[in-house]
Amino acid sequence: HVVVCGLGEKGFQVVRDQRARGRRVVAIEVDSGNEDIALCEDLGAWSVTGDARDAETLHAAGVERASMLMAVTGDDGTNMDIAVKALALAGDRRPDEGFRCCAHVYDNQFAGDALKDYAITGAQGRFRAEFPNAFESAARHVLAEHPLDRDLWREDDPRRVHLVIAGFGWLGR
């Protein structure tokens, strides 16, 4: 099953996508009043109310048996803490059981510094830790699908395309 930590906009979308793929999902949400808990349950997902940084909460969600955990709270530090705790709890698996842990990060600089602090480098034997940034991925996807110089000039043309970014929000960065 997949464990999704945080039922904000991203978290609910992950639950919906995973359920659409036929996967079993357990959602962890700290706010018992979050309306998305009921929506997740309507989709056939289970829910656990609690702080996903706590071992007891992760245990209640079955992280020791999960194939994947996705930490998508709105805070980089919380997501990293969840990933570290989940990797520690999933450490007693048989060699044939893999575990993928994804912790969303908004600030790539923070993620790089945190990786050094936590000594997580991406691959831990049969475990895979990933730290995607949805905004960076979206920007790369848009530019790959719609290159700025597509069909404008020949390869040997000396002119270059210049890109102006208005605003340095998460996507602009």
Side-chain angles (χ1 to χ4, degrees), residues 43 49 80 87 89 120:
L43 292 172
T49 302
M80 296 296 283
L87 288 168
L89 290 173
I120 296 174

Side-chain angles (χ1 to χ4, degrees), residues 83-100:
V84 168
K85 183 68 74 171
L87 288 168
L89 290 173
D92 295 331
R93 291 173 180 245
R94 297 187 325 257
D96 62 332
E97 295 178 312
F99 180 64
R100 182 176 173 204

Side-chain angles (χ1 to χ4, degrees), residues 56-73:
E56 297 81 25
T57 303
L58 289 170
H59 178 71
V63 75
E64 297 91 346
R65 299 176 314 281
S67 61
M68 181 177 5
L69 176 135
M70 300 184 79
V72 289
T73 73

Side-chain angles (χ1 to χ4, degrees), residues 19-137:
R19 288 298 300 142
R21 292 183 177 134
R23 302 203 63 192
R24 292 182 300 156
V25 177
V26 178
I28 299 176
E29 173 55 38
V30 71
D31 177 10
S32 62
N34 186 325
E35 296 174 1
D36 288 337
I37 293 172
L39 296 174
C40 287
E41 291 173 351
D42 289 346
L43 292 172
W46 291 277
S47 67
V48 173
T49 302
D51 188 336
R53 293 173 290 187
D54 294 335
E56 297 81 25
T57 303
L58 289 170
H59 178 71
V63 75
E64 297 91 346
R65 299 176 314 281
S67 61
M68 181 177 5
L69 176 135
M70 300 184 79
V72 289
T73 73
D75 181 74
D76 288 353
T78 299
N79 290 341
M80 296 296 283
D81 289 344
I82 292 168
V84 168
K85 183 68 74 171
L87 288 168
L89 290 173
D92 295 331
R93 291 173 180 245
R94 297 187 325 257
D96 62 332
E97 295 178 312
F99 180 64
R100 182 176 173 204
C101 183
C102 298
H104 181 266
V105 294
Y106 292 89
D107 183 344
N108 290 337
Q109 179 63 43
F110 171 85
D113 294 344
L115 290 177
K116 291 176 199 163
D117 293 343
Y118 289 122
I120 296 174
T121 58
Q124 300 285 319
R126 61 190 171 272
F127 307 117
R128 199 164 83 199
E130 301 171 14
F131 304 94
N133 178 319
F135 300 103
E136 180 179 335
S137 297

Side-chain angles (χ1 to χ4, degrees), residues 2-21 23 25 40 43 68-72 104:
V2 176
V3 176
V4 178
C5 304
L7 281 180
E9 188 175 329
K10 274 191 291 306
F12 181 69
Q13 185 62 49
V14 169
V15 170
R16 201 165 43 203
D17 290 348
Q18 293 298 314
R19 288 298 300 142
R21 292 183 177 134
R23 302 203 63 192
V25 177
C40 287
L43 292 172
M68 181 177 5
L69 176 135
M70 300 184 79
V72 289
H104 181 266

